[in-house]
Amino acid sequence: MAEVLVLVDHVDGAVRKPTLELLTIARRIGEPVAVHLGAGADTAASTLGEYGATRVLAADAPEFGGYLVVPKVDALEQAVEAVGPVAVLVPSSAEGKEIAARLAVRLGSGLITDAVDLEAGDDGPVATQSAFAAAFTVKSRVTNGVPVITVKPNSAAPEAASAAGAVEPLEVSFGDAAKGTKVVSRTPRESTGRPELTEAAIVVSGGRGVNGAENFHVVESLADSLGAAVGASRAAVDAGWYPHTNQVGQTGKTVSPQLYIAAGISGAIQHRAGMQTSKTIVAINKDAEAPIFDLVDYGVVGDLFQVLPQLTEEVESR
Ligand code: FAD
């Protein structure tokens, strides 16, 4: 059966959820072979095997952490040469997209970004993309070389499928460009203790109705009572009330949690583009005609400054 390379997104061997989604989607077009770059391959291997990786090609070198993306592109290029895969899948993160673009140039092949699904076709894998704020579904295929495809987070629920996941060393040599940009320092973002927005099972978002940075604590309190991530509409972000890293929507992040709570958000198409695939949607808005109510499973017509604290109190009392 054809093999599919999957670039592993991990922190010292702790595999991040988007990789499990990639392994699940990869199985629709072939046998996943994980490519683990950096420390922790032995730790990662059991998780990768549980989600269907038949083998784990592992390489560790100081270059992966000490320089920007080019060493990873070198390693993936050599993995492609060694395996001859039917496709290379990379998470649709900022780093993933840069790696994918550079790899496609190296391989002289085609690139598809932000795929939400893959299926096997007679002439190679066919990717599904959601375009123009989900108004269109596009199916496309790379016609030249090994397809390099980035897959959006939350495109599939990770499904376990036991496979060997045996670690095999990947011999990697680095080209001159690998050391072109050195990392001189790293400043981790201050942890909020909340889950990552794109990976959270519950997201509570605030919009213009929150009416100021100083009021966002009502959104945060509800999020904390539920163990949720905090999101924001672009209106709230543009007003400087919440960081852009928390923006949900077309020009922000795409989330697909089990539960999405929108407070003081009207439901513009660009916001919907980032959250409409959430499993259950709840909105709190004081305008009964707000378009967000066309989309919701449960809607509360009311003032968020009354509804959110009551909801938080109720959740905390349970
Ligand atoms: P509004 O549309 O102003 O809605 C505020 C809502 O709050 C209203 O419905 C009001 O009834 C309600 N409200 C007010 N006070 C209260 C209260 N006390 N209690 C309860 N409800 C209250 N937007 C995004 O969100 N994400 C994106 O990624 C994004 N990308 C964009 C890209 C482009 C190219 C463009 C053109 C626009 C983009 N937008 C995006 C902006 C989008 O069009 C909307 O302007 C934005 O989503 C509106 O944010 P909002 O719903 O918070 O504000």
Side-chain angles (χ1 to χ4, degrees):
M1 196 180 186
E3 292 186 308
V4 186
L5 287 186
V6 171
L7 178 63
V8 177
D9 182 6
H10 68 99
V11 180
D12 294 332
V15 180
R16 298 185 65 229
K17 186 168 156 257
T19 300
L20 308 182
E21 297 164 9
L22 246 60
L23 290 170
T24 303
I25 288 182
R27 298 204 303 270
R28 296 172 190 166
I29 57 169
E31 281 184 352
V33 174
V35 179
H36 186 287
L37 305 177
D42 289 331
T43 315
S46 61
T47 309
L48 297 168
E50 278 166 30
Y51 285 85
T54 52
R55 47 199 186 117
V56 179
L57 304 182
D60 190 10
E63 281 82 352
F64 294 128
Y67 297 86
L68 290 188
V69 296
V70 180
K72 292 181 181 168
V73 179
D74 286 349
L76 270 181
E77 185 185 14
Q78 287 157 55
V80 169
E81 278 165 21
V83 173
V86 71
V88 182
L89 307 190
V90 179
S92 268
S93 57
E95 182 187 87
K97 284 184 185 172
E98 187 175 348
I99 290 172
R102 286 173 180 266
L103 181 65
V105 171
R106 291 269 190 97
L107 299 174
S109 63
L111 170 70
I112 295 174
T113 56
D114 286 341
V116 293
D117 199 3
L118 289 177
E119 62 196 275
D122 293 341
D123 302 310
V126 176
T128 304
Q129 290 159 294
S130 178
F132 294 115
F136 292 92
T137 296
V138 177
K139 295 208 177 228
S140 46
R141 181 171 67 76
V142 168
T143 55
N144 191 32
V146 178
V148 181
I149 302 170
T150 77
V151 179
K152 268 193 171 186
N154 289 312
S155 295
E159 286 166 23
S162 190
V167 177
E168 297 175 20
L170 174 69
E171 295 302 327
V172 178
S173 57
F174 298 109
D176 294 342
K179 293 188 176 179
T181 317
K182 190 171 170 41
V183 176
V184 289
S185 71
R186 288 179 194 275
T187 311
R189 222 174 333 130
E190 211 173 293
S191 171
T192 58
R194 300 191 183 101
E196 217 286 307
L197 186 58
T198 54
E199 296 174 18
I202 306 177
V203 175
V204 184
S205 290
R208 203 193 307 270
V210 175
N211 201 24
E214 67 282 9
N215 298 330
F216 246 86
H217 66 89
V218 292
V219 177
E220 292 179 334
S221 297
L222 178 60
D224 291 343
S225 73
L226 293 164
V230 174
S233 73
R234 179 160 163 181
V237 169
D238 284 354
W241 303 341
Y242 227 68
H244 180 256
T245 44
N246 295 66
Q247 184 178 314
V248 173
Q250 188 181 328
T251 43
K253 288 182 175 160
T254 303
V255 300
S256 193
Q258 295 298 319
L259 173 62
Y260 186 86
I261 302 178
I265 292 177
S266 61
I269 188 162
Q270 298 89 353
H271 187 79
R272 289 176 181 216
M275 47 64 76
Q276 63 191 356
T277 55
S278 305
K279 308 298 172 292
T280 301
I281 300 173
V282 176
I284 298 111
N285 197 303
K286 65 181 184 185
D287 175 8
E289 303 297 320
I292 190 92
F293 287 127
D294 298 340
L295 190 69
V296 300
D297 299 284
Y298 302 95
V300 181
V301 180
D303 186 335
L304 70 91
F305 294 106
Q306 290 177 359
V307 177
L308 294 196
Q310 282 180 44
L311 210 49
T312 307
E313 203 182 312
E314 183 60 34
V315 174
E316 282 174 349
S317 72
R318 293 187 179 211

